[in-house]
Amino acid sequence: MIPSPRSVATPTPSARAYDSSDDDAMSCDGAEYGPPELPSFLPALLIELLGYPEGLGALVVCQAWRQEADRIFRRELAELRCASRCLAEYLDLPPTTKSTISVAFSPDDRRFASTHGDHTVKVIDFETKAIVATLAGHPRTPWTVKFHPFLPDVVASGCLGFEARVWDCATGRCLRRAEFDRAIISLSFHPAGDILAVAAGTSIYLWDYDSGASPKREFTHPHPIRCLRFLPSCDALIVGAANSARQEDGEDRITFQLMLCDFDAAAARDDNGGRVR
């Protein structure tokens, strides 16, 4: 079947997840691979050139580098092997669906939600391939969607029409709705589940949606914010933003900036501010 722009690929049961116990026998396409060993002459050479303390220290550093390279090598090879063995089938969606923009997976791994050009969010069951909910109401295309961290029936989405919503997938009902002054590009649930961080234009808003409070602007960046995500530790927020820079030849170049911000959940539930630093 030729994939269409409105199709979403789903893994088949034959696709096997990576097992870390396979690390000792990595192979791809029948060939065995492994990280390079340190040359046998290197310890003596380093000690002769640098002297005993310095040479021994350099050898320890080299060994640490090799262990790190070994870790990276095994991880990348595992990803490559998993991708080469992964089989997928395309899930045909209704003709009115148009494009698929964003996908998120439920905390129980039984469903996924996807956003589409027909201004809807669709929730699909992995096993049956059935659309279990169509969440309609956004004025424009939803650009981002996230599941609640531990409630599989709660989904949040944000659209290009300056609007974010929290939905109940079981009933298809919109539980909360908030308007912003820019398109919603990214959002993230706090691990506690009661706060949403929303990226709209150059600003980050914190929305204590569970209490019915309005979103509050907490942070502004000089350039548009493209993504954000709470860390599982609950006390930090990763923020990604576009960052225009000028090269030596005068040409403009778009780069990307990642920031790790401290987050105080207790302060976020307090109207006095001081939440993101």
Side-chain angles (χ1 to χ4, degrees):
M1 179 182 297
I2 300 176
S4 67
R6 65 174 190 276
S7 299
V8 176
T10 58
T12 63
S14 60
R16 184 175 70 89
Y18 162 61
D19 183 358
S20 60
S21 64
D22 295 338
D23 278 352
D24 294 333
M26 288 291 183
S27 66
C28 186
D29 297 330
E32 295 292 334
Y33 292 91
E37 296 289 339
L38 289 177
S40 58
F41 63 83
L42 186 59
L45 179 62
L46 287 175
I47 292 176
E48 180 180 350
L49 292 176
L50 302 177
Y52 178 73
E54 293 83 0
L56 185 60
L59 185 61
V60 171
V61 171
C62 288
Q63 186 64 28
W65 283 349
R66 182 193 177 279
Q67 292 174 352
E68 179 67 9
D70 179 62
R71 184 186 66 82
I72 295 173
F73 172 83
R74 292 181 182 277
R75 183 182 62 191
E76 292 185 351
L77 185 57
E79 292 176 356
L80 176 62
R81 189 172 70 175
C82 182
S84 65
R85 292 182 178 180
C86 180
L87 300 177
E89 59 182 300
Y90 280 91
L91 174 66
D92 275 340
L93 300 175
T96 57
T97 300
K98 299 183 181 178
S99 56
T100 299
I101 309 298
S102 180
V103 174
F105 299 90
S106 64
D108 58 5
D109 295 326
R110 297 177 57 189
R111 294 175 292 178
F112 67 90
S114 52
T115 68
H116 304 280
D118 62 353
H119 302 178
T120 68
V121 177
K122 292 177 171 55
V123 182
I124 300 167
D125 185 275
F126 266 117
E127 185 174 353
T128 65
K129 310 296 191 295
I131 299 175
V132 297
T134 298
L135 311 176
H138 279 299
R140 291 188 62 191
T141 299
W143 205 253
T144 179
V145 63
K146 295 291 188 299
F147 271 94
H148 190 280
F150 50 84
L151 298 178
D153 284 330
V154 177
V155 168
S157 58
C159 79
L160 299 180
F162 307 176
E163 179 188 83
R165 292 183 178 228
V166 179
W167 308 85
D168 181 350
C169 298
T171 63
R173 186 168 61 94
C174 177
L175 302 176
R176 293 284 189 270
R177 174 181 173 275
E179 293 185 354
F180 299 82
D181 59 354
R182 294 289 188 275
I184 311 301
I185 300 302
S186 182
L187 46 78
S188 178
F189 277 102
H190 186 267
D194 59 340
I195 297 173
L196 266 173
V198 180
T202 59
S203 299
I204 294 176
Y205 295 81
L206 294 179
W207 183 18
D208 188 1
Y209 72 92
D210 203 34
S211 68
S214 299
K216 296 184 180 296
R217 192 196 308 262
E218 294 297 332
F219 179 81
T220 300
H221 192 273
H223 303 288
I225 296 173
R226 300 304 186 193
C227 63
L228 52 78
R229 179 167 183 151
F230 281 109
L231 294 186
S233 61
C234 304
D235 60 358
L237 180 70
I238 294 179
V239 179
N243 182 30
S244 61
R246 187 171 294 275
Q247 299 179 4
E248 294 181 358
D249 56 7
E251 294 289 333
D252 287 334
R253 180 184 62 182
I254 300 299
T255 59
F256 198 76
Q257 182 182 63
L258 284 176
M259 298 173 290
L260 181 62
C261 303
D262 291 332
F263 181 79
D264 188 337
R269 299 180 182 96
D270 184 355
D271 290 338
N272 293 329
R275 305 161 176 86
V276 178
R277 300 187 297 277

